[in-house]
Amino acid sequence: MQTVLHAAAMVPLSIPSPSWSGFDIPLPWGTLRIHAYALCILAGIIVGLWLTSARWKRRGTPEGSLWDIAIWAIPFGIIGGRLYHVFSSPDAYFGPGFDGTGDLSLIPQIQRGGLGIWGAVVLGAVGAWIGCRRAGLKLTAFLDAAAPGLLLAQAIGRLGNWFNQELFGAPTTLPWGLEIDPANANFPPGMAADTLFHPTFLYEMLWNLVGVAILLLVDRKFNFRRGRLFWLYAMYYTVGRVWIEALRIDDAEQITLFGITTRLNVWTSIFVFVAALVIFIVLGRGGRPVPDSPYLPGREPAAEDDKGAAAVTSVTSHDVDASVSDTGSRGNLPDNQSDPGHVDEPQDAAGDTGQDTTSTKGSESAATAARKAPGSSPEADDTK
């Protein structure tokens, strides 16, 4: 017991920030810097796509269609995320009060950090819509399949804030307080070097991971369609984002509404939550929906299969009719013409053949009369 207590006492009551933030790759014309932040974003995208791919396949979608959509959604999402960040934290780029003292060259430098989730979601959805239209699939079906994967990607991507030592919260004395290097540009001026801060990256990471499990369980039970699972994701994420955002002390655009001044991201999260709740309720008012096809109307593979089957049936019927017609035509020819390989019977059997022919003609006349008689049917003739 004493050993356990001693080991517990040796555990530091804080979370250290990593001193490593990336590595350099030598090139003939210089070096290429690979930032840990970018690696975290990339890892989040890969894992999120993995989960989305598994869910997308279970919807009966064409193989490879996920990549046809992702090739549009991912670049659009990165651009949208960066634009939202610049809009919500403009001082570094345009200067305080847009006085022109900022550095516009920092805008494309994503490796320094700064991607706003709502810009990424909105513009990423536009890219996904383009990909879905080209693939003949519904955007709502894709959003439902991608919602848990999107939240998982956000959880992993938040590790990039830890490597960059950015977006941390207010000072705290909690045992899981985050250490920030006093020499780091993000360290708040005027504070003691040993000050600990709320690890908001960790709070959001854990919140998102719990959300992934909740979305998967809820979807398994209720089988949400028509975009409802995506709007449920939006509601869940914004609830956590409000209280996590309120803990942060980094520079951000302040907005005053209803007499309350707070960060732009807080107001955005509140409005998104309200909008998502309304849409979720409206979509569910029709009761439990019937199974929803992921395909756009007229783009279902079954319709193409039916056309192919009809074409095959038409060709087959034509061949059968032609075969029957040819057989009938050959039946009207003399034996020595209808079958070139036919061997004539001996001449001494000609008498019997003539009798058989006469009898056959009589039978055919009787059969013809029977078919013309009222109440007769082809089936009756076939039975005979």
Side-chain angles (χ1 to χ4, degrees), residues 162-368:
W162 181 47
F163 283 99
N164 277 2
Q165 301 190 43
E166 62 180 359
L167 303 183
F168 44 84
T172 181
T173 57
L174 293 172
W176 54 81
L178 177 65
E179 299 177 13
I180 299 296
D181 184 0
N184 190 285
N186 294 322
F187 192 89
M191 291 191 177
D194 59 350
T195 302
L196 301 179
F197 303 89
H198 279 287
T200 50
F201 84 91
L202 181 61
Y203 297 162
E204 187 167 332
M205 182 179 179
L206 295 176
W207 178 268
N208 291 348
L209 290 176
V210 172
V212 172
I214 292 175
L215 289 179
L216 292 175
L217 292 174
V218 169
D219 190 41
R220 178 178 296 181
K221 181 175 179 61
F222 297 102
N223 194 30
F224 286 131
R225 292 294 184 269
R226 298 185 296 170
R228 295 191 76 201
L229 189 68
F230 173 79
W231 294 113
L232 186 62
Y233 144 80
M235 285 187 288
Y236 176 85
Y237 178 72
T238 51
V239 168
R241 186 60 185 267
V242 166
W243 67 268
I244 294 173
E245 187 74 21
L247 291 174
R248 291 178 178 168
I249 58 174
D250 56 286
D251 293 334
E253 190 73 6
Q254 301 289 320
I255 302 295
T256 301
L257 292 174
F258 312 109
I260 301 174
T261 301
T262 188
R263 299 162 69 94
L264 173 62
N265 284 328
V266 173
W267 286 119
T268 302
S269 297
I270 293 173
F271 290 141
V272 171
F273 174 84
V274 173
L277 177 61
V278 171
I279 296 173
F280 181 83
I281 294 174
V282 170
L283 291 176
R285 290 187 65 183
R288 188 178 181 86
V290 297
D292 184 27
S293 170
Y295 293 91
L296 290 171
R299 301 291 295 273
E300 298 88 349
E304 298 178 1
D305 293 342
D306 291 343
K307 292 179 181 178
V312 172
T313 303
S314 176
V315 172
T316 306
S317 301
H318 174 74
D319 293 343
V320 172
D321 293 342
S323 176
V324 173
S325 176
D326 292 344
T327 304
S329 300
R330 288 197 299 269
N332 293 331
L333 295 174
D335 291 340
N336 60 345
Q337 295 183 20
S338 62
D339 187 0
H342 177 71
V343 179
D344 293 338
E345 296 294 331
Q347 294 294 328
D348 58 295
D352 295 338
T353 302
Q355 292 177 359
D356 293 340
T357 302
T358 303
S359 175
T360 301
K361 290 180 178 179
S363 299
E364 290 176 354
S365 299
T368 301

Side-chain angles (χ1 to χ4, degrees), residues 3-4 9 26 72 88 100 103 117 146 171 199 203-204 239 303-304 364 384:
T3 304
V4 174
W72 290 91
S88 60
D103 187 357
I117 183 59
Y203 297 162
E204 187 167 332
V239 168
E304 298 178 1
E364 290 176 354
K384 292 179 180 179

Side-chain angles (χ1 to χ4, degrees), residues 1 29 48 62 76 107 198-199 259 287 303 305 308 359 369:
M1 185 64 181
W29 54 86
F76 273 62
I107 293 179
H198 279 287
D305 293 342
S359 175

Side-chain angles (χ1 to χ4, degrees), residues 37 41 73-89 93 107 110 113-125 150 154 157-158 161 166-167 204 233 237 241 245 248 250 263-265 268-269 272:
Y37 179 88
I41 298 296
I74 293 175
F76 273 62
I78 293 176
I79 295 173
R82 186 58 174 177
L83 292 178
Y84 181 86
H85 167 74
V86 172
F87 175 74
S88 60
S89 302
Y93 313 101
I107 293 179
I110 300 178
L115 290 174
I117 183 59
W118 295 122
V121 169
V122 171
L123 211 56
L150 177 59
Q154 291 175 233
R158 276 301 170 195
N161 299 144
E166 62 180 359
L167 303 183
E204 187 167 332
Y233 144 80
Y237 178 72
R241 186 60 185 267
E245 187 74 21
R248 291 178 178 168
D250 56 286
R263 299 162 69 94
L264 173 62
N265 284 328
T268 302
S269 297
V272 171

